[in-house]
């Protein structure tokens, strides 16, 4: 954009009444013309990766936004921006046609010390996730939950939002606030803010560990060994995500890689080793996560409003 702006300023000087208009001035601007010729203007507004958007597929949710266990239709994006259609992630492909299972990530229980019990009806394979999902039922309601490693068909899973004085005895698949769990408990599907639903630790075989208390927050250790301090009211599921051996499975063929939605790579990439490889660094400080404050309202100042009823003193330009 700087080259285009400079070029526009140069051409703005060419007028019929300009005394410097001539061949020499045109020859001086030839360099700018050559730079703009090969300048890709379409890259200016191109979205960048890392914006935490799903570039694999676009889910078509119901118009009434009511939760359902029916498979939802989805449009494959293959790494393209849904608005502009330009490729943002070049390593993603279309993949096999599939439907989306809506996971109910919010687990809310009573706060009076009782439990909300749900029966595990099925353990299912989900093509959109590395872990298994569980179809649970409570009364006449059905929901999809992330299945833990020890969860089986017929189990009763409990949910409670009460934080007792003495830590509870956790069972695999139950959901409690972080403040109600004993230290060194394995948890998954953890909330970042109370009441917003689980946000982290969803991949197959992953688990976080409740480490210690820090003031009014609970410190957990993520699978990446990073420590995070969360509110004690944040809900978490006890256990680890199912399909633990997912990371040990081999793709086996190039066609299966395309079936999974991956475009072919060059095969020349190699992990760094030796002196340029992994370094032993000091652990990062604890990441204290809290809810962001709402932005301040924007104040617009205009000159079209009513004036002050007082008289204006001409000598001092002030209002009496």
């Amino acid at each position: 954009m700087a080259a285009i702006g400079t070029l526009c300023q140069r051409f703005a000087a060419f007028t019929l009444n300009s005394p410097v208009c001539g061949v020499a001035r045109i020859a001086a601007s030839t360099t700018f013309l050559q730079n703009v010729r090969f300048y890709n203007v379409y890259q200016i507004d191109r979205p960048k990766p890392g914006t935490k958007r799903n570039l694999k597929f676009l889910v078509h949710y119901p118009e009434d936004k009511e939760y359902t266990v029916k498979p939802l239709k989805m449009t494959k994006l293959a790494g393209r921006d849904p608005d502009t259609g330009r490729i943002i992630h070049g390593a993603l492909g279309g993949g096999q046609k599939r439907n989306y299972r809506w996971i109910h990530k919010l687990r809310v229980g009573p706060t009076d010390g009782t439990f909300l019990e749900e029966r595990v009806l099925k353990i299912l394979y989900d093509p959109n996730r590395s872990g298994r999902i569980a179809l649970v039922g409570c009364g006449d309601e059905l929901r999809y939950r992330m299945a833990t490693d020890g969860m089986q068909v017929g189990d009763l899973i409990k949910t409670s939002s009460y934080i007792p004085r003495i830590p509870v005895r956790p069972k695999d698949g139950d959901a409690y606030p972080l403040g109600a769990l004993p230290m060194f408990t394995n948890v998954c599907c953890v909330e970042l803010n109370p009441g917003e639903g689980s946000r982290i630790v969803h991949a197959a075989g992953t688990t976080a560990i409740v480490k210690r208390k820090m003031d009014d927050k609970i410190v957990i250790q993520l699978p990446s060994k990073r420590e995070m301090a969360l509110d004690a009211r944040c809900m978490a599921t006890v256990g680890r995500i199912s399909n633990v051996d997912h990371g040990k499975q081999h793709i086996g063929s190039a066609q299966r890689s395309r079936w999974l939605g991956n475009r072919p790579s060059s095969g020349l990439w190699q992990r760094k080793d030796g002196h340029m490889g992994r370094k032993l660094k000091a652990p990062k400080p604890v990441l204290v996560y809290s809810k962001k404050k709402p932005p301040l309202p924007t104040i617009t100042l205009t000159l079209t409003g009513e004036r002050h009823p007082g008289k204006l003193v001409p000598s001092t330009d002030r209002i009496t």
Side-chain angles (χ1 to χ4, degrees), residues 110-115 159-170 175-183 213 218 232-235:
T111 57
D112 55 356
T114 58
F115 302 95
T159 303
S160 176
S161 299
Y162 176 69
I163 302 179
R165 184 177 60 88
I166 301 177
V168 299
R169 287 188 176 183
Y176 295 97
L178 291 174
L181 297 174
M183 297 296 104
K213 292 184 178 181
I218 305 297
R233 298 170 298 170
C234 292
M235 298 292 293

Side-chain angles (χ1 to χ4, degrees), residues 33-264:
L33 286 173
Q34 293 177 354
N35 294 336
V36 174
R37 179 181 301 174
F38 300 101
Y39 190 84
N40 192 353
V41 183
Y42 297 100
Q43 300 294 334
I44 297 175
D45 299 330
R46 178 181 178 181
K48 296 181 179 179
T51 55
K52 298 183 180 180
R53 294 186 304 170
N54 186 5
L55 299 176
K56 291 185 178 181
F57 50 83
L58 182 66
V59 183
H60 301 286
Y61 291 97
E63 296 181 357
D64 54 358
K65 303 299 181 181
E66 185 177 357
Y67 179 80
T68 177
V69 294
K70 295 181 180 179
L72 305 177
K73 298 297 181 181
M74 46 190 290
T75 302
K76 294 179 288 186
L77 298 178
R80 294 181 178 270
D81 185 79
D83 299 327
T84 62
R86 296 172 184 166
I87 295 179
I88 307 301
H89 198 300
L92 297 180
Q96 177 68 13
K97 185 177 180 180
R98 60 190 70 169
N99 293 329
Y100 184 79
R101 279 79 175 174
W102 194 350
I103 304 297
H104 197 280
K105 297 182 179 180
L106 182 62
R107 298 192 66 170
V108 180
T111 57
D112 55 356
T114 58
F115 302 95
L116 173 65
E117 294 185 341
E118 295 175 322
R119 177 79 66 178
V120 179
L121 304 177
K122 294 181 181 179
I123 303 293
L124 304 173
Y125 164 78
D126 190 358
N128 303 301
R129 293 172 180 82
S130 56
R132 301 292 182 258
I133 62 176
L135 178 64
V136 301
C138 178
D140 57 348
E141 296 181 357
L142 297 177
R143 298 186 182 93
Y144 282 126
R145 305 283 191 191
M146 293 300 300
T148 57
D149 188 26
M151 189 179 296
Q152 297 180 359
V153 177
D155 291 349
L156 283 175
I157 56 177
K158 300 179 180 179
T159 303
S160 176
S161 299
Y162 176 69
I163 302 179
R165 184 177 60 88
I166 301 177
V168 299
R169 287 188 176 183
K171 178 187 173 184
D172 202 305
D174 295 346
Y176 295 97
L178 291 174
L181 297 174
M183 297 296 104
F184 304 102
T185 302
N186 292 334
V187 294
C188 60
C189 301
V190 186
E191 291 182 340
L192 294 181
N193 290 317
E196 291 187 356
S198 60
R199 294 278 300 279
I200 54 178
V201 196
H202 288 157
T206 56
T207 180
I209 303 176
V210 181
K211 300 291 288 187
R212 61 185 182 276
K213 292 184 178 181
M214 187 177 68
D215 298 334
D216 57 341
K217 296 184 179 296
I218 305 297
V219 178
I220 64 173
Q221 186 182 38
L222 301 179
S224 61
K225 307 302 180 184
R226 182 71 186 273
E227 292 185 349
M228 179 181 292
L230 301 175
D231 195 307
R233 298 170 298 170
C234 292
M235 298 292 293
T237 303
V238 180
R240 62 188 305 182
I241 300 295
S242 56
N243 196 14
V244 180
D245 296 333
H246 173 75
K248 301 178 182 179
Q249 297 176 359
H250 296 276
I251 295 180
S253 65
Q255 182 61 28
R256 186 169 184 267
S257 180
R258 298 306 301 266
W259 182 79
L260 294 174
N262 303 320
R263 283 179 177 165

